[in-house]
């Protein structure tokens, strides 16, 4: 429970958490580690590592190793499948894509990946993963029955089911690079049923204003990926996002 307990402590002390997502397929392991270090200097709380395509094998392992050499914050895997596991990471979002039509993303990949998590020191953090319109690459790869943006009540009942199944975290995903983030109505409806359970929101969050809207509506944690891959000054960008969400 070390990483989960660590994130809880940040929430208790600072109100909200900022997570930096790094896709190993988007740059070299060395560059990934530079981005991670710059993000930590800006105040990010943990580094998520994963992606829908190509984030596996040696490239994934080397990316995790290089990042861990540079930063002290937790590294949390965000696997697109059982191939997205690396024994070098601190934790894994052990997630089920509840609104997938493909059983592989609901439970089979989890079964295939469970032995590695069991044998290694990776801490599993149970999570309900929900993909909302437009869904992006992960929506297509995960064969998600996308939750319509204008149906917050559908997201809420999925989240409630995840909570009743024992998942500690819920992740509302609009898809990496989405034209706009999940709307506040949906975030509020989901957080209302989750209570103390944690809500992560990601996809299309590009600036401090959007980040603030998400946390004001009820997100406990926000994820940014694309905007940091594109930023010229990652530290400044993260600092801007972090100052908008923390107490
Ligand atoms: C994707 O929610 C994350 O899984 C992050 O999305 O790349 O749009 O920040 P962005």
């Amino acid at each position: 429970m070390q990483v989960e307990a660590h994130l809880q402590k940040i929430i208790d002390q600072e109100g909200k958490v900022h997570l930096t997502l790094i896709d190993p397929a988007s740059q070299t392991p060395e560059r990934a580690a530079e981005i991670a270090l710059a993000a930590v200097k800006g105040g990010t709380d943990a580094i998520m590592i994963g992606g829908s395509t190509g984030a596996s094998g040696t490239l994934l392992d080397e990316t995790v190793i290089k990042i861990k050499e540079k930063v002290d914050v937790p590294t949390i895997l965000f696997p697109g499948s059982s191939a997205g596991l690396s024994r070098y990471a601190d934790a894994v979002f052990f997630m089920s894509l509840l609104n997938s039509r493909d059983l592989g993303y609901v439970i089979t990949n989890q079964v295939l990946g469970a032995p590695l998590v069991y044998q290694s020191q990776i801490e599993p953090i149970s999570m309900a993963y929900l993909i909302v319109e437009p869904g992006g690459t992960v929506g297509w790869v995960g064969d998600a029955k996308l939750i319509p943006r204008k149906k917050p009540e559908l997201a809420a009942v999925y989240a409630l089911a995840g909570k009743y199944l024992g998942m500690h975290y819920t992740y509302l995903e609009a898809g990496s690079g989405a034209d706009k983030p999940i709307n506040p109505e949906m975030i509020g409806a989901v957080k209302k049923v989750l209570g103390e359970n944690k809500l992560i929101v990601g996809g299309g969050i590009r600036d401090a204003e959007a980040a603030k809207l998400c946390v004001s509506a009820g997100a406990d944690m926000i994820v940014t990926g694309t905007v940091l891959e594109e930023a010229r000054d990652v530290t400044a960008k993260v600092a801007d996002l972090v100052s908008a969400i923390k107490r």
Side-chain angles (χ1 to χ4, degrees), residues 195-230:
E196 284 304 302
N197 278 28
K198 299 296 166 276
L199 175 58
I200 304 184
V201 173
I205 300 173
R206 289 188 176 76
D207 53 34
E209 195 187 343
K212 196 171 178 56
L213 261 182
C214 292
V215 298
S216 302
D220 299 293
M221 310 186 188
I222 63 145
V223 180
T224 52
T226 304
V227 89
L228 303 182
E229 278 178 16
E230 293 170 352

Side-chain angles (χ1 to χ4, degrees), residues 41-64:
K41 285 182 180 161
T44 200
D45 296 300
I47 309 293
M48 282 166 64
I49 303 165
S52 304
T53 54
S56 60
T58 312
L59 179 64
L60 172 63
D61 283 341
E62 284 180 3
T63 299
V64 177

Side-chain angles (χ1 to χ4, degrees), residues 21 78 129 138 171 173-178 201-205 223-227:
L21 174 63
F78 181 50
Y129 189 46
V138 71
Y171 190 135
E173 170 75 87
S176 188
V201 173
I205 300 173
V223 180
T224 52
T226 304
V227 89

Side-chain angles (χ1 to χ4, degrees), residues 74-99:
T75 48
I76 308 171
L77 297 168
F78 181 50
S81 71
S82 59
L85 292 171
S86 167
R87 64 189 176 88
Y88 301 104
D90 300 310
V92 56
F93 282 137
F94 202 88
M95 56 204 211
S96 173
L97 175 45
L98 293 186
N99 62 321

Side-chain angles (χ1 to χ4, degrees), residues 157-170:
V157 289
Y158 265 112
L160 199 53
K163 177 179 165 179
Y164 290 160
L165 284 165
M167 293 155 175
H168 303 176
Y169 278 43
T170 299

